[in-house]
Amino acid sequence: MTLKNKKLWLGILYTVAILFVYRLGYFIQLPYIRFENLEAIYNQGNMFGFLDIFSGGALSNFSIVALGVSPYITASIVVQLLQMDIIPVLKEWSEEGETGKQKLNALTRYLSIGLAFVQALTIVIGVTVSYNGLFFGVGTPEGAMTYIYLAIVMTAGTGLVLWLADRITKKGVGNGTSLMIVVGIIASYPDMINDLIQTYILDDAQGTKGILIFVGVILLMILIILGVVFMEAAQRKIPIQYSNRPSSAALSGRNDSNIPIKLNSASVIPVIFASTLLSLPSTIANFLNEGTAKNIITELFTTTKPIGFVVYLILIVVFTFFYSFLQMSPDKMADNLQKQNAYVPGVRPGEDTAAYFSRVLFKINVVGAIYLCVLAALPIIMTWIFNLPASVQIGGTGLIIVVGVAVETAKQIKTSTQEKQYRGFIE
């Protein structure tokens, strides 16, 4: 039935076309820049690292869509945090249903454009200062207006990407913003495989050892993908019952009502938080001259250094618990059940139910935090062990995003197909 669904196929083709247009933006580079010197800049160290993941390399290529959807992600997180009784108006909007949701979405988009401009201006000034004489072309006026002009172009690129993502959400298969990130991540995979082949297969110095490492890395990647798929789909279902449920249903012993809680309820957000927080001091360190201050910052906030690596994992654990309890407040869950005349079997409504949800969520987050730490640490550890090329990422944030979005998109397609079948049967 799915293969015969014309609306679904049109949505898929529309989505592919929009993603193709987005990817074309990668090849349209900013004006005034000496692109022949980009390789020299990268050889001195790429400061973009984590941010470059979300743009699919467009940031390091200095294209018009260099920022991708990263400002929107930051704005979404900020708006979510501000709804925690920090700004009462935003909390009221969050409780107004669809109308409030539209207001929050509009605010998020306006904020993302503002953040995009600030982020773009910071990047342009930072790169110019760090690589003086390499970044701008000969004869380019290096002044405030040039910086502002380039920042406006990059901001306009972010606006275009957000508009394209909105088209996918409304007319395509959904998850427009997430699919934009996924396309960028997947676009880096061919280069990753090519670097692996060049390093371990075509290099005569590696010999049989290189072939074994190549095969081992590929098998490990496949096993990790299978593990991520399993973990992203894993749930803890908390059974609930309703006080006004018919007695015949209660006596039958069947209880199909439950509250599903994902094992990784915080998704990839803790890793993003931790990486972003660590990237700020590291970026500042790139602008400093060699010395004690730069060495201390590099040691504390660079994930490839032992101390920075430990700090990275600690931040992931902290943000996992923080974001999970923010998204799934035990008090709100208990209150909602009480309003619906529902309860958890064997647990008193009210404070006891809230305490029960807190205990369950804590236990789930212990497993979820360990899972995220292992996945985030794998690329770093494997690089230490096998001296892998910088482009090769075994595990990591990108893989969680790709698998998570793929699973969610598949669910949406299946749901929309089933709804179409049911309507056709009734009508």
Side-chain angles (χ1 to χ4, degrees), residues 110-369:
Y110 289 133
L111 182 59
S112 63
I113 294 299
L115 289 174
F117 180 79
V118 173
Q119 192 173 346
L121 193 61
T122 303
I123 289 172
V124 171
I125 294 175
V127 174
T128 305
V129 172
S130 299
Y131 307 108
N132 187 28
L134 288 175
F135 190 56
F136 285 119
V138 178
T140 300
E142 294 187 31
M145 292 307 298
T146 302
Y147 299 147
I148 292 173
Y149 172 70
L150 290 176
I152 290 174
V153 173
M154 293 172 71
T155 303
T158 295
L160 174 63
V161 172
L162 293 180
W163 182 81
L164 292 174
D166 191 51
R167 295 301 91 197
I168 293 176
T169 302
K170 291 183 177 179
K171 296 185 178 181
V173 297
N175 289 331
T177 305
S178 300
L179 286 174
M180 291 292 182
I181 301 174
V182 167
V183 166
I185 295 171
I186 293 177
S188 66
Y189 285 174
D191 289 336
M192 181 179 71
I193 299 299
N194 180 63
D195 287 346
L196 274 175
I197 293 173
Q198 293 289 339
T199 304
Y200 297 110
I201 301 296
L202 300 182
D203 188 357
D204 295 333
Q206 293 287 342
T208 306
K209 178 185 176 182
I211 296 175
L212 292 175
I213 293 176
F214 176 82
V215 174
V217 168
I218 296 298
L219 289 176
L220 184 59
M221 290 173 65
I222 294 173
L223 288 174
I224 292 172
I225 291 173
L226 294 175
V228 170
V229 171
F230 173 77
M231 293 294 289
E232 290 298 311
Q235 293 179 340
R236 165 71 188 275
K237 293 183 178 180
I238 301 176
I240 61 172
Q241 290 184 349
Y242 292 89
S243 301
N244 56 356
R245 191 174 184 180
S247 57
S248 58
L251 292 173
S252 66
R254 292 182 58 189
N255 183 23
D256 296 330
S257 301
N258 58 72
I259 299 177
I261 301 178
K262 289 184 63 177
L263 195 63
N264 180 26
S265 56
S267 188
V268 74
I269 296 299
V271 182
I272 294 175
F273 275 1
S275 301
T276 303
L277 198 61
L278 286 179
S279 67
L280 294 177
S282 300
T283 302
I284 294 172
N286 285 319
F287 302 148
L288 299 176
N289 295 323
E290 293 294 334
T292 305
K294 183 173 183 177
N295 292 336
I296 292 174
I297 293 175
T298 302
E299 191 69 31
L300 290 176
F301 299 104
T302 303
T303 56
T304 54
K305 302 291 184 180
I307 298 177
F309 178 69
V310 173
V311 173
Y312 180 45
L313 297 183
I314 291 173
L315 287 175
I316 290 175
V317 173
V318 171
F319 284 130
T320 298
F321 282 88
F322 170 76
Y323 194 75
S324 295
F325 277 86
L326 173 64
Q327 289 291 95
M328 305 183 68
S329 171
D331 291 328
K332 286 184 179 180
M333 292 170 68
D335 187 49
N336 290 336
L337 283 182
Q338 201 163 14
K339 289 178 180 178
Q340 298 170 12
N341 292 322
Y343 62 93
V344 178
V347 181
R348 289 181 179 181
E351 293 183 3
D352 288 352
T353 301
Y356 172 78
F357 282 137
S358 295
R359 290 194 299 272
V360 171
L361 201 56
F362 180 84
K363 293 176 183 177
I364 290 174
N365 280 328
V366 169
V367 179

Side-chain angles (χ1 to χ4, degrees), residues 339-409:
K339 289 178 180 178
Q340 298 170 12
N341 292 322
Y343 62 93
V344 178
V347 181
R348 289 181 179 181
E351 293 183 3
D352 288 352
T353 301
Y356 172 78
F357 282 137
S358 295
R359 290 194 299 272
V360 171
L361 201 56
F362 180 84
K363 293 176 183 177
I364 290 174
N365 280 328
V366 169
V367 179
I370 293 173
Y371 157 67
L372 287 177
C373 285
V374 170
L375 206 57
L378 271 173
I380 302 171
I381 295 174
M382 290 298 104
T383 301
W384 288 344
I385 295 175
F386 297 111
N387 194 25
L388 296 173
S391 63
V392 179
Q393 297 287 311
I394 302 178
T397 309
L399 186 58
I400 306 176
I401 295 174
V402 171
V403 173
V405 173
V407 171
E408 189 63 31
T409 303

